[in-house]
Amino acid sequence: MQTASTDLNPGTARDHPTQPAWTRAEFETQLRAKGAGYHIHHPFNVKMNSGGASREQIRGWVSNRFYYQINIPLKDAAIMSNCPDRETRRRWVQRILDHDGNGNDEGGIETWARLGDAVGLTRDELWSLEHVVPGVRFAVDAYVNFARRAPWQEAVCSSLTEIFAPQIHRDRLATWPQHYPWIEPAGLTYFRSRISLAQRDVEHGLAVTLDYFRTREQQERALEILQFKLDILWTMLDAIEKAFPT
């Protein structure tokens, strides 16, 4: 079982004074290898995608994950507030708009709320956060607080769990209509939209990470930061699984 740790103060990365830095390709391979710990492998996620989750469990997951969704723009705004580079901010701000919406684009928060509608949660129920369990709240808050305190490049690195996200969305689109016909198909729009957006975001976040973490010590720290984010996502499912056992 993985647990989220907030012990990511500067200097906690292991020291490798004699180790040469990985090449960009080697470093990227190391980052992508972290996918073995992505929450796509968590027993609760496996259960959902194999059709074994109850209505209560699906609703519990949707309502708790909503807390993560509404905090993503806060995380991204925190990264921008620490970033002095104008060009980076011009690109990163699109992530906030993707979730909050802009113009005719309703945004990811709204499409997640429509998922709530589709699984039988009322808007008041969802937005009240009454179903959010303490473990999920703690994990999400830890992530946002990390983004507020860390150098912006480290916070960008923590976002690289998006590398692994398209597959988890594809799995839900492939299995949920069959296993959960009671869920309105329109509610799955969020998963469909995030496949291309995640791929776009990965390109930028990965470039920042590969450019910034140059020495072996820095690269090891980047792996620790990415593991921290993986632990956040895993811990959320641990908490949801315990709160909604059946």
Side-chain angles (χ1 to χ4, degrees):
M1 179 184 297
Q2 303 180 42
T3 56
S5 170
T6 58
D7 183 18
L8 280 172
N9 294 321
T12 60
R14 293 179 297 276
D15 189 14
H16 293 276
T18 62
Q19 295 292 322
W22 288 307
T23 65
R24 286 177 70 90
E26 290 170 338
F27 182 29
E28 181 175 343
T29 297
Q30 292 287 332
L31 291 166
R32 291 185 180 276
K34 284 290 186 180
Y38 191 52
H39 68 296
I40 195 172
H41 305 295
H42 191 286
F44 190 84
N45 184 70
V46 173
K47 183 176 184 177
M48 283 197 299
N49 285 353
S50 62
S54 67
R55 294 192 182 206
E56 182 182 7
Q57 287 173 323
I58 293 288
R59 289 171 183 150
W61 178 76
V62 170
S63 57
N64 274 270
R65 181 78 183 194
F66 184 65
Y67 187 65
Y68 179 81
Q69 302 301 324
I70 63 175
N71 273 279
I72 289 175
L74 302 184
K75 176 267 297 183
D76 289 324
I79 292 174
M80 289 181 60
S81 72
N82 291 328
C83 179
D85 183 67
R86 179 171 178 253
E87 288 307 311
T88 297
R89 295 196 306 269
R90 283 163 61 90
R91 293 186 67 175
W92 206 266
V93 71
Q94 185 59 50
R95 295 173 181 244
I96 297 176
L97 299 177
D98 287 342
H99 281 83
D100 280 340
N102 184 43
N104 293 327
D105 180 4
E106 60 188 356
I109 291 175
E110 172 58 26
T111 54
W112 194 273
R114 286 169 55 193
L115 174 61
D117 296 338
V119 301
L121 293 164
T122 68
R123 290 294 177 114
D124 287 344
E125 213 177 349
L126 194 66
W127 280 99
S128 72
L129 307 179
E130 63 188 80
H131 301 302
V132 178
V133 298
V136 168
R137 191 181 296 271
F138 179 83
V140 173
D141 291 352
Y143 181 40
V144 175
N145 287 332
F146 173 74
R148 287 173 176 154
R149 297 193 305 265
W152 68 271
Q153 298 96 332
E154 293 194 354
V156 166
C157 176
S158 72
S159 75
L160 287 181
T161 50
E162 291 171 321
I163 290 174
F164 320 117
Q167 187 58 53
I168 206 170
H169 297 318
R170 292 189 188 99
D171 288 351
R172 291 165 186 156
L173 289 168
T175 62
W176 281 34
Q178 173 187 354
H179 294 312
Y180 309 111
W182 55 273
I183 298 177
E184 291 293 331
L188 305 181
T189 299
Y190 178 87
F191 305 139
R192 191 170 295 107
S193 66
R194 285 305 305 173
I195 293 173
S196 61
L197 294 178
Q199 291 170 337
R200 179 207 66 195
D201 291 346
V202 165
E203 180 181 352
H204 183 211
L206 188 57
V208 169
T209 299
L210 296 176
D211 286 343
Y212 179 73
F213 296 89
R214 296 291 189 91
T215 70
R216 181 61 171 271
E217 182 178 5
Q218 290 173 329
Q219 291 169 339
E220 292 281 356
R221 175 161 173 77
L223 294 178
E224 291 183 354
I225 291 167
L226 184 52
Q227 184 61 56
F228 162 73
K229 176 59 182 310
L230 290 166
D231 289 347
I232 290 291
L233 297 172
W234 196 276
T235 298
M236 288 172 60
L237 284 187
D238 279 348
I240 294 169
E241 182 178 47
K242 183 176 181 180
F244 302 94
T246 58

